[in-house]
Each structure stands twice: as C-alpha cells, then as structure tokens.
Amino acid sequence: MKVLGINCSPRKGGNTEILIKEVFKALEKEGIKTEFFQVGGKKVSGCIACMKCKKKEDGRCHQKNDIINECIVKMVEADAIIIGSPVYYADLTADAKALIEVAGYALRAAGSPLKHKIGAAVIAVRRGGAIHAFNSINNFFLINEMIIPGSIYWNIGIGREKGEVLKDEEGMKTMKVLGENMAWLLKKIKDNPPSPRLRRTKKSKK
C-alpha cells in the first residue's frame, strides 16, 4: 500500500510540505509506504478544453503538461492521495487548481481509475480562506468517487513563515490523526476490496 503526497505549494520546505510529511509519519508508523511529489512552482497549465484527453481516453493531458502527466501516473498507481496547498486569495494555489482540473477531466474520461481510492486535502493558512481551499480539493475527490477520511478537525495548519505551522499544536495533531485514520481505512479496504462489478472500466468503442 502506498500514499502519494502532492505538494502544490511553490515554496519547498514550507508549511504545506511540513503538514504533508506529518501525515506521512503516522502512515509510515503503520507500515504504509509514502511518496512525495512536488507540483508547486513547476511548469503546469490549466485545462484549455481541447478535449483531446476525452477523445483518446488515455488519462493524459495532450498539451505541454509533463509534470501533471507524471503526477497522474503516480496518482493511478497509489492507493491513497494527499493534495496539499497553502491558501492564496482565500482559495488554493493556481498550481493546485491546474492539477485538479486537468487530472480530474482526463481521468474521468479514462474510466475514473481513482474510484474507491482514498483522498485527503491538507491546507496551510495564515488566516482566512482555509475551508474554501479545503472544499475545493475535496470536490476533486468526490467527483472522482473517492473516499475521504476525517480527523479530529479539518485538515488545516496555521502558519505563514516557513516552519511556523509547527507551533500549531492542534494542526499538527490533526495531521497525525489523519495519517492514522488513512492507515486504518487502507487496511480495511485491503481486507475487503470493492466488488469487481463496482469498478468502472473505460467504455469500449463500438
């Protein structure tokens, strides 16, 4: 079992990365493998509605979106996905938005391969807009028919400067419990996998 953590903050080593890796600690303690992938600050583009992914049904963006396509491959391979973003202007980053709109459309066109995987949003915030950003990411998980675990609070950490989130005791504990709950859910799904009839496959062309 493996959990992919996607950092959509352009600031490497910042509060979003710290929060994701706090979730990782709890997962790894339960024997779950983790992988960290950096999207923030990389060259990514949002969807331009060219519809090529829908026509090809291959789960790929057919614009110059190599980072997102690499991330899509890792998302399909993972058993669970964490998407982390800081709050910019009361919502998620442009990088996070590009990821969810491109990956969401391309993968749904390919038969919804994220169905029944686990998804968790992690948000770093200075002050306002955290719930809006949190909901934006969760909407991606929900429309892809994924399973969202909870924690003792919404998955939010308070901090502005690098490392400041470490002072948020409740936020750090929320990440720890989130990791524990994800591990529990992963093990339950492994022991009781969804029925094959519930797994959607790509429509065959006539």
Side-chain angles (χ1 to χ4, degrees):
M1 294 180 288
K2 185 172 73 174
V3 177
L4 175 67
I6 305 168
N7 185 20
C8 295
S9 170
R11 186 164 63 171
K12 293 182 180 179
N15 293 317
T16 307
E17 182 172 333
I18 290 169
L19 293 172
I20 292 171
K21 290 185 175 178
E22 189 68 16
V23 183
F24 277 6
K25 288 178 187 177
L27 287 163
E28 290 163 0
K29 190 175 180 181
E30 293 294 325
I32 309 295
K33 293 180 181 179
T34 60
E35 181 179 2
F36 185 83
F37 189 81
Q38 182 70 31
V39 167
K42 300 289 184 70
K43 188 176 181 180
V44 297
S45 301
C47 181
I48 62 170
C50 69
M51 302 300 173
K52 290 181 180 178
C53 66
K54 190 172 183 179
K55 291 176 183 176
K56 292 182 179 290
E57 299 180 344
D58 59 359
R60 299 289 180 274
C61 179
H62 292 273
Q63 303 305 314
K64 293 181 179 179
N65 242 342
D66 292 343
I67 297 298
I68 289 182
N69 280 335
E70 184 181 352
C71 190
I72 287 172
V73 172
K74 293 180 180 293
M75 292 167 82
V76 173
E77 292 174 348
D79 299 291
I81 299 163
I82 299 168
I83 297 178
S85 176
V87 174
Y88 283 10
Y89 276 77
D91 207 343
L92 38 69
T93 63
D95 298 331
K97 186 65 165 63
L99 173 67
I100 63 177
E101 59 181 42
V102 171
Y105 201 74
L107 288 172
R108 279 168 58 78
S112 297
L114 300 187
K115 183 175 181 177
H116 296 147
K117 293 181 186 289
I118 296 168
V122 167
I123 302 297
V125 63
R126 182 192 73 85
R127 192 172 181 85
I131 295 300
H132 189 176
F134 183 65
N135 288 341
S136 293
I137 296 174
N138 282 334
N139 285 335
F140 168 79
F141 297 139
L142 291 169
I143 200 168
N144 280 284
E145 302 176 74
M146 297 173 70
I147 303 163
I148 302 174
S151 187
I152 55 171
Y153 197 74
W154 293 279
N155 308 332
I156 296 162
I158 309 297
R160 180 175 183 172
E161 302 305 322
K162 279 187 178 182
E164 196 172 359
V165 75
L166 293 166
K167 299 176 184 178
D168 179 8
E169 293 182 10
E170 184 178 14
M172 296 301 286
K173 186 177 179 182
T174 298
M175 301 305 140
K176 176 179 178 292
V177 175
L178 174 62
E180 292 169 350
N181 289 346
M182 289 181 76
W184 178 86
L185 187 53
L186 279 163
K187 291 174 182 179
K188 288 292 183 182
I189 292 172
K190 183 182 178 182
D191 292 339
N192 300 280
S195 170
R197 69 178 180 275
L198 295 178
R199 294 189 179 278
R200 182 175 301 146
T201 56
K202 187 170 68 174
K203 294 178 182 178
S204 58
K205 294 181 180 179
K206 294 181 180 180

